[in-house]
Amino acid sequence: MSDLITDEMVETTAEAQWRYDWPLREFHREPDDIQDYYRTSARVALEAATPLIVAKVLNDTADEFSAPLPDGTGNG
């Protein structure tokens, strides 16, 4: 599943976590080792959550396609 996680997703997640931890400091002004720590942490979290997200999307899609049409006939 890790091939589903893009660098953009990792960067966005790392920055969001940084803003949560340090709301008054800019992520990109921090030393590389701190940024790398947050990126690594973000990648691990995203990779752990990916199977759950994919399963939810597949379940929701299956439910949508198996639901009756608005007129009550057939499936969607």
Side-chain angles (χ1 to χ4, degrees):
M1 294 278 174
S2 63
D3 57 328
L4 296 175
I5 306 300
T6 66
D7 290 342
E8 183 179 5
M9 292 173 187
V10 169
E11 191 70 17
T12 301
T13 304
E15 287 183 36
Q17 183 62 43
W18 178 261
R19 282 192 309 274
Y20 178 81
D21 291 344
W22 303 99
L24 301 178
R25 294 169 59 180
E26 291 185 41
F27 180 67
H28 290 289
R29 293 185 183 264
E30 297 303 317
D32 289 342
D33 61 330
I34 292 175
Q35 290 182 41
D36 289 344
Y37 173 82
Y38 273 80
R39 288 183 186 113
T40 299
S41 179
R43 183 171 294 281
V44 168
L46 289 168
E47 287 177 356
T50 297
L52 300 172
I53 295 167
V54 170
K56 173 95 170 89
V57 169
L58 290 173
N59 252 350
D60 291 353
T61 302
D63 288 348
E64 184 178 329
F65 280 103
S66 64
L69 293 170
D71 65 2
T73 62
N75 293 331

